[in-house]
Amino acid sequence: LAAHAASVDLVATGDTVTGFAPPTDAMLAAAAGACAAALPDGDCEDLSSVRLAKEYYDHWKPAEVRAIVLAESHVFTAPEEQAAKRLSDAAFERLQRDHGYDGPRGYVRLVNCLGYGEQALCADGRAADRGSTQFWQLLAACSRELAPATPATPVVGPGGQLSDVLKLGSPRLPDRLPRGVPRPPG
């Protein structure tokens, strides 16, 4: 994430990171190998999960960065989860047709992954998990100006200011996806 954020112009100052080389697959593999060497056996994520996470970062990266939200969201994903929880053929075709989605299909425990927390989209929906509701709330809050929270105007929960984009407002992904932060062209 740090390398991904560093590859864009710094929004606050308009400066560019000097000496920065965009990450290559070889750099990613070397970094993952260094982590694997430093951690106990079994504690380092498989390189395929790291590559898939980068695919999601690259897919959702906007053409123009207006703000950077730094938040830990990627959670260890075992290789067998990638296959079992990947987007089903029907879900992928529907997302392509209805929303123009052309991103990755694999599963990784990352808020950018459409299958994370969306059991109905996964090839094996029985294996799906809840996702990271706190990150969806954070990202939804970043999408608009919010009124001060009061009992009459809660931020989350039934009737909350973010009900239109959060799962609790509607469990149907097609109801929420168009109102989320769209991917800019480019």
Side-chain angles (χ1 to χ4, degrees), residues 67-141:
I68 296 174
V69 177
L70 297 178
E72 180 185 355
S73 68
H74 183 196
V75 179
F76 184 94
T77 307
E80 56 272 11
E81 286 181 287
Q82 287 182 37
K85 298 180 185 180
R86 68 189 313 262
L87 292 178
S88 71
D89 292 341
F92 185 71
E93 290 167 12
R94 189 174 58 251
L95 289 166
Q96 280 183 315
R97 180 186 64 242
D98 298 347
H99 303 286
Y101 180 73
D102 62 351
R105 291 184 65 176
Y107 179 85
V108 65
R109 291 176 185 245
L110 177 70
V111 72
N112 303 35
C113 173
L114 292 180
Y116 188 47
E118 295 290 346
Q119 184 173 355
L121 297 180
C122 295
D124 181 357
R126 297 168 299 155
D129 50 45
R130 289 185 31 225
S132 295
T133 56
Q134 69 273 28
F135 290 108
W136 284 111
Q137 291 172 7
L138 172 66
L139 294 172

Side-chain angles (χ1 to χ4, degrees), residues 14-62:
D15 293 332
T16 302
V17 177
T18 56
F20 175 79
T24 64
D25 187 67
M27 291 168 67
L28 194 64
C35 289
L39 294 171
D41 286 344
D43 281 2
C44 188
E45 192 162 42
D46 190 80
L47 181 57
S48 64
S49 290
V50 176
R51 285 179 171 137
L52 184 56
K54 185 175 181 321
E55 280 185 55
Y56 277 104
Y57 290 135
D58 291 344
H59 175 74
W60 291 110
K61 180 183 176 188

Side-chain angles (χ1 to χ4, degrees), residues 133-186:
T133 56
Q134 69 273 28
F135 290 108
W136 284 111
Q137 291 172 7
L138 172 66
L139 294 172
C142 290
S143 73
R144 66 188 69 178
E145 187 173 337
L146 298 172
T150 68
T153 59
V155 174
V156 296
Q161 298 175 59
L162 300 176
S163 294
D164 61 330
V165 291
L166 294 178
K167 196 170 188 174
L168 59 90
S170 170
R172 292 175 22 89
L173 181 70
D175 292 343
R176 298 187 324 273
L177 193 59
R179 290 184 284 246
V181 180
R183 180 176 182 215

